[in-house]
Amino acid sequence: MAAITHTRFPQKRIADDGQFLIDIFDAYERAFKEGSPVSERRLDNYLSILAGFAPEECGMCGQCGLYFLAEADGSVYPCDFYVLDEWEMGNINTMSLARMEKNSASKAFRQVSLRLPEACGRCPYLNLCMGGCRRDREPFCEGLPSNNRFCQSYRMFFDACLPRMVSLTKRVLMTH
């Protein structure tokens, strides 16, 4: 089955998003070179990955984690993007977080996030994006995710900036 692609993001939007990432990296790199480094979570994570460390952002790990979002009534969900009946893991008033972490809803939530579109397996940038956040790979069709809606923007960004990102990573490692 062919991967589903998102039609709600026209080419102009893809180019704008990709250029935005390039512009942000330009400013990030410039700030470092001027001796006033800034922190931008996504870029910090990319440099960490390039340095051989695991990213801290869940959408860059290749698998959803569990962040235990609790509602006022005690209902607990695995992620703030999935506060949905189908993903309710339990209620903190009647169940421990340790038990919720091991229940079928939490296992299913993490398992679903492992599936990537076929195109990801052929992508030279998979080690950097890991398919992205699963919410950006919806809708799922017959259990298979769509291509990440930002995939083309990320490719545009990595095509333009990856060599400079590698260089900046080396410079950051030398200063720490």
Side-chain angles (χ1 to χ4, degrees), residues 21 119-120 122-125 150-161:
L21 292 170
C120 289
R122 297 185 302 272
C123 180
Y125 305 123
F150 298 111
C151 180
Q152 291 176 296
S153 301
Y154 291 151
R155 283 176 172 263
M156 179 181 168
F157 167 65
F158 292 133
D159 285 346
C161 296

Side-chain angles (χ1 to χ4, degrees), residues 43-95:
L43 297 178
D44 292 347
N45 274 287
Y46 287 143
L47 269 59
S48 290
I49 293 167
L50 290 169
F53 301 104
E56 58 76 35
E57 185 179 324
C58 59
M60 300 172 88
C61 292
Q63 177 180 3
C64 290
L66 296 175
Y67 294 96
F68 298 115
L69 179 126
E71 292 282 277
D73 68 354
S75 298
V76 176
Y77 301 87
C79 171
D80 57 339
F81 294 111
Y82 291 94
V83 181
L84 304 166
D85 291 344
E86 69 183 289
W87 296 119
E88 183 176 344
M89 296 174 12
N91 190 295
I92 195 69
N93 296 310
T94 59
M95 187 184 297

